[in-house]
Coordinates of all heavy atoms in Angstrom, one line a residue:
M1 N 0.8 -19.0 1.2 CA -0.4 -19.2 2.1 C 0.0 -18.3 3.3 O 1.1 -18.5 3.8 CB -0.6 -20.6 2.4 CG -1.8 -20.8 3.3 SD -2.2 -22.5 3.5 CE -3.0 -22.8 1.9
A2 N -0.9 -17.6 3.9 CA -0.7 -16.9 5.2 C -0.3 -17.8 6.3 O -0.7 -18.9 6.4 CB -2.1 -16.1 5.5
N3 N 0.5 -17.2 7.2 CA 1.0 -17.9 8.3 C 0.4 -17.6 9.5 O 0.3 -16.3 9.9 CB 2.6 -17.6 8.4 CG 3.3 -18.4 9.3 OD1 2.8 -19.4 9.9 ND2 4.4 -18.0 9.7
L4 N -0.2 -18.5 10.2 CA -1.0 -18.2 11.5 C 0.0 -17.7 12.5 O 1.0 -18.4 12.8 CB -1.7 -19.4 11.9 CG -2.6 -19.3 13.2 CD1 -3.6 -18.3 13.1 CD2 -3.1 -20.7 13.5
V5 N -0.3 -16.6 13.3 CA 0.5 -16.3 14.3 C -0.2 -16.6 15.7 O 0.6 -17.2 16.6 CB 0.7 -14.7 14.4 CG1 1.5 -14.2 15.5 CG2 1.4 -14.3 13.0
F6 N -1.4 -16.3 16.1 CA -2.0 -16.6 17.3 C -3.5 -16.6 17.2 O -4.0 -16.1 16.3 CB -1.5 -15.7 18.4 CG -2.1 -14.3 18.3 CD1 -3.3 -13.9 18.8 CD2 -1.3 -13.3 17.6 CE1 -3.8 -12.7 18.7 CE2 -1.8 -12.0 17.5 CZ -3.0 -11.7 18.0
A7 N -4.2 -17.2 18.1 CA -5.6 -17.2 18.2 C -6.0 -16.8 19.7 O -6.0 -17.8 20.5 CB -6.2 -18.5 17.8
S8 N -6.4 -15.6 19.9 CA -6.8 -15.3 21.2 C -7.6 -13.9 21.2 O -7.6 -13.2 20.2 CB -5.6 -15.2 22.1 OG -4.9 -14.0 21.7
I9 N -8.3 -13.7 22.3 CA -9.0 -12.4 22.4 C -9.1 -12.0 23.9 O -9.1 -12.9 24.8 CB -10.4 -12.4 21.8 CG1 -11.0 -11.0 21.8 CG2 -11.3 -13.4 22.5 CD1 -12.2 -11.0 21.0
N10 N -8.8 -10.8 24.2 CA -9.0 -10.3 25.6 C -10.4 -9.9 25.7 O -10.8 -9.0 25.3 CB -8.0 -9.1 25.8 CG -8.1 -8.6 27.2 OD1 -8.9 -9.1 28.1 ND2 -7.3 -7.7 27.5
T11 N -11.2 -10.7 26.6 CA -12.5 -10.5 26.9 C -12.8 -9.6 28.2 O -13.9 -9.4 28.6 CB -13.3 -11.8 27.0 OG1 -12.8 -12.5 28.0 CG2 -13.3 -12.5 25.7
G12 N -11.7 -9.3 28.8 CA -11.9 -8.5 30.1 C -12.6 -9.3 31.1 O -13.3 -8.7 31.9
G13 N -12.5 -10.6 31.2 CA -13.1 -11.4 32.1 C -14.5 -11.8 31.8 O -15.2 -12.6 32.4
K14 N -15.1 -11.3 30.6 CA -16.5 -11.5 30.2 C -16.4 -12.7 29.3 O -15.5 -12.9 28.5 CB -17.0 -10.4 29.5 CG -17.2 -9.2 30.4 CD -17.8 -8.1 29.6 CE -17.9 -6.8 30.5 NZ -18.3 -5.6 29.9
E15 N -17.5 -13.6 29.3 CA -17.5 -14.7 28.4 C -17.8 -14.2 26.9 O -18.6 -13.3 26.7 CB -18.7 -15.6 28.7 CG -18.6 -17.0 27.9 CD -19.7 -17.9 28.5 OE1 -19.8 -18.0 29.7 OE2 -20.2 -18.7 27.7
N16 N -17.1 -14.7 26.0 CA -17.2 -14.3 24.6 C -17.0 -15.5 23.7 O -16.1 -16.4 24.0 CB -16.1 -13.3 24.3 CG -16.4 -12.6 22.9 OD1 -17.1 -13.2 22.1 ND2 -15.9 -11.4 22.8
T17 N -18.0 -15.8 22.7 CA -17.9 -16.9 21.9 C -17.1 -16.7 20.7 O -16.9 -17.5 19.9 CB -19.3 -17.4 21.6 OG1 -20.0 -16.3 20.9 CG2 -20.1 -17.8 22.9
S18 N -16.6 -15.5 20.4 CA -15.9 -15.3 19.2 C -14.5 -14.8 19.6 O -14.2 -14.4 20.6 CB -16.5 -14.2 18.4 OG -16.5 -13.0 19.0
S19 N -13.5 -15.0 18.7 CA -12.1 -14.7 18.9 C -11.6 -14.2 17.5 O -12.4 -14.1 16.6 CB -11.4 -15.8 19.5 OG -11.4 -16.9 18.7
S20 N -10.3 -14.0 17.5 CA -9.8 -13.6 16.2 C -8.3 -14.3 16.1 O -7.8 -14.7 17.1 CB -9.5 -12.2 16.2 OG -8.7 -11.6 17.2
I21 N -7.9 -14.3 14.9 CA -6.5 -14.8 14.7 C -5.7 -13.7 14.0 O -6.3 -12.9 13.3 CB -6.5 -16.1 13.9 CG1 -7.1 -16.0 12.5 CG2 -7.1 -17.2 14.7 CD1 -7.0 -17.2 11.7
E22 N -4.5 -13.7 14.1 CA -3.6 -12.8 13.3 C -2.8 -13.7 12.3 O -2.2 -14.7 12.7 CB -2.7 -12.1 14.3 CG -1.8 -11.1 13.6 CD -0.8 -10.4 14.6 OE1 -1.1 -10.4 15.8 OE2 0.1 -9.7 14.0
V23 N -2.8 -13.3 11.2 CA -2.1 -14.1 10.1 C -1.0 -13.1 9.5 O -1.2 -11.9 9.6 CB -2.9 -14.6 9.0 CG1 -3.9 -15.6 9.4 CG2 -3.6 -13.6 8.3
V24 N 0.1 -13.6 9.2 CA 1.2 -12.9 8.5 C 1.2 -13.2 7.0 O 1.1 -14.3 6.7 CB 2.6 -13.2 9.1 CG1 3.7 -12.5 8.4 CG2 2.7 -13.1 10.6
V25 N 1.0 -12.1 6.3 CA 1.0 -12.3 4.8 C 2.3 -12.8 4.2 O 3.4 -12.3 4.6 CB 0.6 -10.9 4.2 CG1 0.6 -11.0 2.7 CG2 -0.7 -10.4 4.7
E26 N 2.2 -13.9 3.5 CA 3.3 -14.5 2.8 C 3.4 -14.1 1.4 O 2.4 -13.6 0.8 CB 3.2 -16.0 2.9 CG 3.1 -16.6 4.2 CD 4.5 -16.5 4.9 OE1 5.5 -16.5 4.3 OE2 4.5 -16.4 6.2
P27 N 4.6 -14.1 0.7 CA 4.7 -13.8 -0.7 C 3.6 -14.6 -1.5 O 3.4 -15.7 -1.3 CB 6.1 -14.1 -1.1 CG 6.8 -14.1 0.2 CD 5.9 -14.5 1.3
G28 N 2.9 -13.8 -2.3 CA 1.9 -14.5 -3.2 C 0.5 -14.5 -2.7 O -0.4 -14.7 -3.4
D29 N 0.3 -14.1 -1.3 CA -1.0 -14.1 -0.8 C -1.7 -12.9 -1.4 O -1.1 -11.8 -1.7 CB -0.8 -13.9 0.7 CG -0.6 -15.2 1.5 OD1 -0.8 -16.3 0.9 OD2 -0.3 -15.1 2.7
T30 N -3.0 -13.0 -1.4 CA -3.9 -11.8 -1.7 C -5.0 -11.9 -0.7 O -5.2 -12.8 0.1 CB -4.6 -12.1 -3.1 OG1 -5.4 -13.2 -3.0 CG2 -3.5 -12.2 -4.3
L31 N -5.6 -10.7 -0.5 CA -6.7 -10.5 0.5 C -7.7 -11.5 0.1 O -8.3 -12.1 1.0 CB -7.2 -9.0 0.5 CG -7.8 -8.6 1.9 CD1 -6.9 -8.9 3.0 CD2 -8.2 -7.1 1.7
W32 N -8.1 -11.6 -1.1 CA -9.1 -12.6 -1.5 C -8.8 -14.0 -1.1 O -9.6 -14.7 -0.5 CB -9.4 -12.5 -3.0 CG -10.5 -13.4 -3.5 CD1 -10.3 -14.7 -3.9 CD2 -11.8 -13.2 -3.5 NE1 -11.4 -15.3 -4.2 CE2 -12.4 -14.3 -4.0 CE3 -12.6 -12.1 -3.2 CZ2 -13.8 -14.5 -4.2 CZ3 -14.0 -12.2 -3.3 CH2 -14.5 -13.4 -3.8
R33 N -7.6 -14.4 -1.3 CA -7.2 -15.8 -0.9 C -7.2 -16.0 0.5 O -7.7 -17.1 0.9 CB -5.7 -16.0 -1.5 CG -5.2 -17.5 -1.1 CD -3.8 -17.7 -1.4 NE -3.7 -17.8 -3.0 CZ -2.7 -17.7 -3.7 NH1 -1.6 -17.5 -3.0 NH2 -2.6 -17.9 -4.9
I34 N -6.9 -15.0 1.3 CA -7.0 -15.1 2.8 C -8.4 -15.2 3.2 O -8.7 -16.1 4.0 CB -6.1 -14.0 3.5 CG1 -4.7 -14.1 3.2 CG2 -6.5 -14.0 5.0 CD1 -3.8 -13.0 3.7
A35 N -9.2 -14.3 2.7 CA -10.6 -14.3 3.0 C -11.3 -15.7 2.7 O -12.1 -16.3 3.3 CB -11.4 -13.2 2.3
D36 N -10.9 -16.3 1.5 CA -11.4 -17.6 1.0 C -10.9 -18.7 1.9 O -11.7 -19.6 2.2 CB -10.9 -17.8 -0.4 CG -11.5 -19.1 -1.1 OD1 -12.8 -19.2 -1.0 OD2 -10.7 -19.9 -1.6
Q37 N -9.7 -18.6 2.5 CA -9.1 -19.6 3.4 C -9.9 -19.6 4.7 O -10.1 -20.6 5.3 CB -7.6 -19.3 3.5 CG -7.1 -20.3 4.5 CD -5.5 -20.0 4.6 OE1 -4.9 -19.1 3.9 NE2 -4.9 -20.7 5.5
Y38 N -10.2 -18.5 5.2 CA -10.8 -18.3 6.6 C -12.3 -18.1 6.6 O -12.9 -17.9 7.7 CB -10.1 -17.3 7.4 CG -8.6 -17.7 7.7 CD1 -7.6 -17.2 7.0 CD2 -8.3 -18.5 8.7 CE1 -6.3 -17.6 7.2 CE2 -7.1 -18.9 9.0 CZ -6.1 -18.5 8.2 OH -4.8 -18.8 8.5
N39 N -13.1 -17.9 5.5 CA -14.5 -17.6 5.6 C -15.3 -18.5 6.3 O -16.2 -18.1 7.1 CB -15.0 -17.3 4.2 CG -15.1 -18.5 3.4 OD1 -14.3 -19.3 3.2 ND2 -16.5 -18.7 2.8
E40 N -15.2 -19.8 6.2 CA -16.0 -20.8 6.9 C -15.7 -20.6 8.4 O -16.7 -20.6 9.2 CB -15.7 -22.1 6.5 CG -16.2 -22.4 5.1 CD -16.1 -23.8 4.6 OE1 -15.9 -24.7 5.5 OE2 -16.1 -24.1 3.4
Q41 N -14.5 -20.5 8.9 CA -14.2 -20.3 10.3 C -14.8 -19.0 10.9 O -15.1 -19.0 12.0 CB -12.6 -20.3 10.5 CG -12.0 -21.7 10.3 CD -10.5 -21.6 10.4 OE1 -9.9 -21.0 9.5 NE2 -9.9 -22.2 11.3
A42 N -14.8 -18.0 10.0 CA -15.4 -16.7 10.4 C -16.9 -16.7 10.4 O -17.5 -15.8 11.0 CB -14.8 -15.5 9.5
G43 N -17.5 -17.6 9.7 CA -19.0 -17.7 9.5 C -19.5 -16.7 8.7 O -20.6 -16.1 8.9
M44 N -18.7 -16.2 7.6 CA -19.1 -15.2 6.7 C -18.8 -15.7 5.2 O -18.1 -16.6 5.0 CB -18.2 -14.0 6.9 CG -18.3 -13.3 8.2 SD -17.3 -11.8 8.3 CE -17.2 -11.5 10.0
S45 N -19.4 -15.1 4.3 CA -19.1 -15.3 2.9 C -17.7 -14.7 2.6 O -17.3 -13.9 3.4 CB -20.2 -14.6 1.9 OG -20.0 -13.2 2.0
V46 N -17.1 -15.1 1.5 CA -15.8 -14.5 1.2 C -15.8 -13.1 1.1 O -15.0 -12.3 1.6 CB -15.2 -15.2 -0.1 CG1 -13.9 -14.5 -0.5 CG2 -15.0 -16.7 0.1
N47 N -16.9 -12.5 0.4 CA -17.1 -11.1 0.3 C -17.2 -10.3 1.5 O -16.6 -9.3 1.8 CB -18.2 -10.7 -0.7 CG -17.8 -10.9 -2.2 OD1 -16.7 -10.8 -2.6 ND2 -18.9 -11.2 -2.9
E48 N -18.1 -10.9 2.5 CA -18.3 -10.3 3.7 C -16.9 -10.2 4.5 O -16.6 -9.2 5.1 CB -19.4 -11.1 4.5 CG -20.7 -11.0 4.1 CD -21.7 -11.9 4.7 OE1 -21.3 -13.0 5.1 OE2 -22.9 -11.5 4.8
L49 N -16.2 -11.3 4.5 CA -14.9 -11.4 5.2 C -13.9 -10.5 4.6 O -13.2 -9.7 5.4 CB -14.5 -12.8 5.3 CG -13.2 -13.0 6.2 CD1 -13.4 -12.5 7.6 CD2 -12.7 -14.5 6.2
L50 N -13.9 -10.4 3.3 CA -12.9 -9.5 2.6 C -13.2 -8.0 3.2 O -12.3 -7.3 3.5 CB -13.1 -9.6 1.1 CG -12.2 -8.7 0.4 CD1 -11.0 -9.5 0.0 CD2 -12.8 -8.4 -1.0
F51 N -14.5 -7.6 3.1 CA -14.8 -6.2 3.6 C -14.5 -6.0 5.1 O -14.0 -5.0 5.5 CB -16.2 -5.8 3.3 CG -16.5 -5.7 1.8 CD1 -17.4 -6.5 1.1 CD2 -15.7 -4.8 1.0 CE1 -17.7 -6.3 -0.2 CE2 -15.9 -4.6 -0.4 CZ -16.9 -5.3 -1.0
Y52 N -14.8 -7.0 5.8 CA -14.6 -7.0 7.3 C -13.1 -6.9 7.6 O -12.7 -5.9 8.4 CB -15.0 -8.3 8.0 CG -14.8 -8.3 9.5 CD1 -15.7 -7.8 10.4 CD2 -13.5 -8.7 10.0 CE1 -15.4 -7.8 11.7 CE2 -13.3 -8.7 11.3 CZ -14.2 -8.3 12.2 OH -13.9 -8.2 13.5
I53 N -12.3 -7.7 6.8 CA -10.7 -7.5 7.0 C -10.3 -6.1 6.7 O -9.5 -5.6 7.4 CB -10.0 -8.6 6.2 CG1 -10.4 -10.0 6.7 CG2 -8.6 -8.4 6.2 CD1 -9.9 -11.1 5.8
Q54 N -10.8 -5.6 5.5 CA -10.3 -4.2 5.1 C -10.7 -3.2 6.2 O -9.9 -2.4 6.5 CB -11.0 -3.9 3.8 CG -10.3 -4.5 2.7 CD -10.8 -4.1 1.4 OE1 -12.0 -4.5 1.0 NE2 -10.1 -3.2 0.6
K55 N -11.9 -3.3 6.8 CA -12.4 -2.3 7.7 C -11.7 -2.5 9.1 O -11.1 -1.5 9.5 CB -13.9 -2.5 8.0 CG -14.5 -1.6 9.0 CD -16.0 -1.9 9.2 CE -16.5 -1.0 10.3 NZ -17.8 -1.4 10.8
E56 N -11.6 -3.7 9.6 CA -11.1 -3.9 10.9 C -9.5 -3.7 10.9 O -9.0 -3.3 12.0 CB -11.4 -5.3 11.4 CG -12.9 -5.4 11.7 CD -13.4 -4.6 12.7 OE1 -12.8 -4.3 13.8 OE2 -14.5 -3.9 12.6
N57 N -8.9 -3.9 9.8 CA -7.5 -3.7 9.7 C -7.0 -2.4 9.1 O -6.0 -2.1 9.0 CB -6.9 -4.8 8.9 CG -6.9 -6.1 9.7 OD1 -6.0 -6.4 10.5 ND2 -7.9 -6.9 9.4
Q58 N -8.1 -1.5 8.9 CA -8.0 -0.2 8.4 C -7.1 -0.1 7.1 O -6.2 0.8 7.0 CB -7.4 0.8 9.5 CG -8.3 0.9 10.8 CD -7.6 1.6 11.9 OE1 -6.4 2.0 11.9 NE2 -8.4 1.8 12.9
L59 N -7.5 -1.0 6.2 CA -6.8 -1.1 4.9 C -7.5 -0.2 4.0 O -8.7 -0.2 3.8 CB -6.7 -2.5 4.4 CG -6.1 -3.6 5.2 CD1 -6.4 -4.9 4.6 CD2 -4.7 -3.2 5.4
Q60 N -6.7 0.7 3.3 CA -7.3 1.7 2.3 C -7.6 0.9 1.0 O -8.4 1.4 0.2 CB -6.3 2.8 2.1 CG -6.0 3.6 3.4 CD -7.2 4.2 4.0 OE1 -8.0 4.7 3.3 NE2 -7.3 4.0 5.3
S61 N -7.0 -0.3 0.8 CA -7.4 -1.0 -0.5 C -7.1 -2.4 -0.1 O -6.9 -2.8 0.9 CB -6.4 -0.5 -1.6 OG -5.1 -1.0 -1.3
A62 N -7.3 -3.3 -1.2 CA -7.1 -4.7 -1.0 C -5.7 -5.1 -1.2 O -5.4 -6.4 -1.2 CB -8.1 -5.4 -1.9
I63 N -4.9 -4.2 -1.4 CA -3.4 -4.5 -1.6 C -2.7 -4.8 -0.3 O -2.9 -4.0 0.7 CB -2.7 -3.4 -2.4 CG1 -3.3 -3.2 -3.7 CG2 -1.2 -3.7 -2.5 CD1 -2.9 -2.0 -4.5
I64 N -2.1 -5.9 -0.1 CA -1.4 -6.3 1.0 C 0.0 -6.7 0.6 O 0.2 -7.1 -0.5 CB -2.1 -7.4 1.8 CG1 -2.3 -8.6 0.9 CG2 -3.3 -7.0 2.4 CD1 -2.9 -9.8 1.7
Q65 N 0.9 -6.6 1.6 CA 2.4 -6.9 1.3 C 2.9 -8.1 2.2 O 2.4 -8.2 3.3 CB 3.2 -5.7 1.6 CG 2.9 -4.4 0.8 CD 3.0 -4.6 -0.7 OE1 4.0 -5.3 -1.2 NE2 2.1 -4.1 -1.5
P66 N 3.8 -8.9 1.7 CA 4.4 -9.9 2.6 C 4.9 -9.2 3.9 O 5.5 -8.1 3.9 CB 5.6 -10.4 1.8 CG 5.2 -10.2 0.4 CD 4.4 -8.9 0.4
G67 N 4.7 -9.9 5.0 CA 5.0 -9.3 6.3 C 3.9 -8.6 7.0 O 4.0 -8.4 8.2
D68 N 2.9 -8.1 6.3 CA 1.7 -7.5 6.9 C 1.1 -8.4 7.9 O 1.0 -9.7 7.6 CB 0.7 -7.0 5.9 CG 1.1 -5.8 5.0 OD1 2.1 -5.2 5.4 OD2 0.4 -5.6 4.0
H69 N 0.5 -7.9 9.0 CA -0.2 -8.7 9.9 C -1.7 -8.4 9.9 O -2.0 -7.1 9.9 CB 0.4 -8.3 11.4 CG 1.7 -8.8 11.7 ND1 1.9 -9.8 12.5 CD2 2.8 -8.5 11.1 CE1 3.2 -10.1 12.6 NE2 3.8 -9.3 11.7
I70 N -2.5 -9.3 9.7 CA -4.0 -9.1 9.4 C -4.7 -9.8 10.5 O -4.5 -11.1 10.7 CB -4.4 -9.6 8.0 CG1 -3.6 -8.7 7.0 CG2 -5.9 -9.5 7.8 CD1 -3.9 -9.2 5.6
I71 N -5.7 -9.2 11.1 CA -6.6 -9.8 12.0 C -7.8 -10.2 11.4 O -8.5 -9.6 10.6 CB -7.0 -8.7 13.2 CG1 -5.7 -8.1 13.9 CG2 -8.0 -9.3 14.2 CD1 -4.9 -9.2 14.7
I72 N -8.2 -11.5 11.7 CA -9.4 -12.2 11.1 C -10.3 -12.8 12.3 O -9.8 -13.5 13.1 CB -8.9 -13.3 10.2 CG1 -8.0 -12.7 9.1 CG2 -10.1 -14.0 9.6 CD1 -7.4 -13.8 8.2
P73 N -11.6 -12.4 12.2 CA -12.5 -13.0 13.2 C -12.7 -14.5 13.0 O -12.7 -15.0 11.9 CB -13.7 -12.2 13.0 CG -13.8 -12.0 11.5 CD -12.4 -11.8 11.2
I74 N -12.8 -15.3 14.1 CA -13.1 -16.7 14.1 C -14.3 -16.9 15.1 O -14.1 -16.4 16.2 CB -11.8 -17.4 14.5 CG1 -10.7 -17.2 13.5 CG2 -12.2 -19.0 14.5 CD1 -10.9 -17.6 12.1
K75 N -15.2 -17.8 14.7 CA -16.3 -18.1 15.6 C -15.9 -19.3 16.4 O -15.2 -20.1 16.1 CB -17.6 -18.4 14.8 CG -18.3 -17.2 14.3 CD -19.6 -17.6 13.7 CE -20.4 -16.3 13.5 NZ -21.7 -16.6 13.1

């Protein structure tokens, strides 16, 4: 299971209702499993979050490796 690193966002002094977390990929994790774990907190379906994670983390595929750091949006 992915390991949570932090939960924060720099808003530049502006009020913002969303933030993000950074997770560290653990052995056996898949992008699908991580998206499934955080989809409710992100307010997205698993598929929507999966595509968001790939885009925002500039992943060329859904293949992730242990030790990778992945940013996930949280409402």
Side-chain angles (χ1 to χ4, degrees):
M1 181 176 284
N3 188 17
L4 178 64
V5 175
F6 69 87
S8 66
I9 189 167
N10 181 357
T11 62
K14 298 178 183 175
E15 188 174 326
N16 192 334
T17 59
S18 64
S19 61
S20 61
I21 58 171
E22 180 179 350
V23 297
V24 178
V25 177
E26 298 290 330
D29 281 344
T30 65
L31 204 53
W32 180 268
R33 180 183 288 165
I34 292 171
D36 186 49
Q37 181 179 351
Y38 291 99
N39 72 304
E40 288 184 22
Q41 291 173 293
M44 299 179 191
S45 71
V46 175
N47 282 332
E48 289 170 329
L49 184 55
L50 183 91
F51 290 123
Y52 179 93
I53 291 170
Q54 284 184 285
K55 179 182 174 194
E56 293 301 312
N57 291 277
Q58 301 174 349
L59 301 174
Q60 299 300 315
S61 72
I63 297 172
I64 54 176
Q65 302 296 323
D68 285 351
H69 291 247
I70 297 177
I71 303 297
I72 300 171
I74 299 296
K75 284 191 169 187

